[in-house]
Structure formats: structure tokens, C-alpha cells
Amino acid sequence: MAEKNLYSVPNILSLMRLALVPVLVALAYFSRAEEFLVVLAISLLSDVFDGYLARKLNQTSELGAKLDSWGDVLTYGCMILGLYWIWPQVFAQQVWFLVAATLSFVVPVAYALGKFGEYPSYHTLGAKTAAVLMAPAFYLLTLVGADLFFNAVIVFHVIVAFEEMAITSVLTGPRSNVRSIFSLAGNSKLAK
């Protein structure tokens, strides 16, 4: 891992995303749909760029991976709150998929916390793909009511959750930035 500077460009983007969480919560609570979608877009774009810049600038770090993971979970939580407060009819129609999405986060995290005592930051290729797909799925759902793509992305998130649990099962210690379960195959030193 490279630099561990809190104030690296990727970490600043992740910190900005964390700072946008209360803004998103307030906008959702006051049913400010347009503003919520704009701020959410800024947050989601910063998520794309923080990882890219971390690799491009050789500024990856354990801290950066954890900041990114916390930004992800809190942003997804805001998306669910947004559906609940701004688009309650959509929330009601999608409640079981939202439960599945929530469990696809909670179960792997609880498993890793139980095994390693810390929040996992695997950032697998599957998780990155699911995150990229969630943005258009959410916007299509809220703006035009297109739920099929949203549902498919949630199913993909569930598949990613199973992969993350498999990674936790295989690892002997906590680790960040695991490309996939297959990248661990044949690796005799699975801990840090």
C-alpha cells in the first residue's frame, strides 16, 4: 500500500462523501427530490473517482479503503431513506428488494466483524460493478418507475454478498481490496 495520508485526493473525496450524508438525510426528510438527486449524483460520482484516483496517483491505503466503505454504506442508507421519505409508494413496491439489499450488506459485514473484529473493505470487482450499476438503477426507478433493472441490480448485490462471505471464510485475517474469491485461489498466505 502506498501513502497513508488522510489528506490525499482520494481520501478527501471519500471524506466529502461522508460529509454529504447529513445533507442527503435532510433533503430526504424534507422531501426535496430534485436537490436530493443532485447531491446524490455528486456523492456517487465522487465514489467513482476516489478509487480511480487512488490507483492512478498510487495513493491507495487501508484508511482510504475503510473511508470508501463507510461512504458506500451510508450513501446506500441515504438512498433507502430517500425512497422512504420522498417516494413512499416506490418504497412500498420495492420493500422486499430493499430488505434483500439491506441483508446483502448486513450479513457479510456481521460475519466479517464476528471473524475478524473489524469492518471488511474487500472492494471486489463484483462489488464495484454492483455499485456502478446501482446509480442508474436508482435514478431509473425514481424518475421513470423502471423497476426491473433495479431488481436485477439488487439480485446482483445478493450474489456479491455471497462472494464476500466466501472471501471471509477463506481469509485467515482481515484484508482490504480483494479482487475476487478467485484471486485468493492458490494463495498460501491469505492474511495481510
Side-chain angles (χ1 to χ4, degrees), residues 113-189:
L113 281 171
K115 183 170 182 179
F116 303 129
E118 68 179 62
Y119 185 91
S121 297
Y122 298 140
H123 296 108
T124 64
L125 183 58
K128 290 176 185 176
T129 303
V132 168
L133 292 173
M134 182 52 73
F138 185 83
Y139 282 85
L140 287 169
L141 178 68
T142 56
L143 295 175
V144 297
D147 61 352
L148 189 59
F149 183 55
F150 181 80
N151 298 157
V153 171
I154 298 298
V155 170
F156 187 59
H157 271 278
V158 171
I159 293 166
V160 167
F162 279 106
E163 180 187 30
E164 290 179 350
M165 290 187 297
I167 290 169
T168 300
S169 294
V170 170
L171 291 177
T172 57
R175 192 163 145 195
S176 295
N177 300 321
V178 177
R179 186 164 177 80
S180 77
I181 186 68
F182 303 109
S183 68
L184 298 176
N187 188 347
S188 61
K189 187 178 178 186

Side-chain angles (χ1 to χ4, degrees), residues 9-25 39-51 64-76 78-79 123 131:
V9 173
N11 287 355
I12 289 170
L13 287 173
S14 291
L15 289 168
M16 180 193 77
R17 194 156 41 114
L18 289 167
L20 290 177
V21 167
V23 175
L24 286 167
V25 170
V39 173
L40 179 62
I42 293 166
S43 179
L44 294 171
L45 285 172
S46 74
D47 184 29
V48 170
F49 288 117
D50 70 351
K66 293 195 183 310
L67 288 172
D68 184 55
S69 292
W70 280 108
D72 291 344
V73 69
L74 293 173
T75 300
Y76 285 150
C78 288
M79 292 166 80
H123 296 108

Side-chain angles (χ1 to χ4, degrees), residues 72-105:
D72 291 344
V73 69
L74 293 173
T75 300
Y76 285 150
C78 288
M79 292 166 80
I80 292 172
L81 278 177
L83 286 176
Y84 183 73
W85 282 329
I86 301 172
W87 299 279
Q89 69 286 1
V90 175
F91 180 89
Q93 293 167 348
Q94 297 298 319
V95 70
W96 292 113
F97 281 96
L98 295 170
V99 168
T102 302
L103 289 174
S104 74
F105 165 75

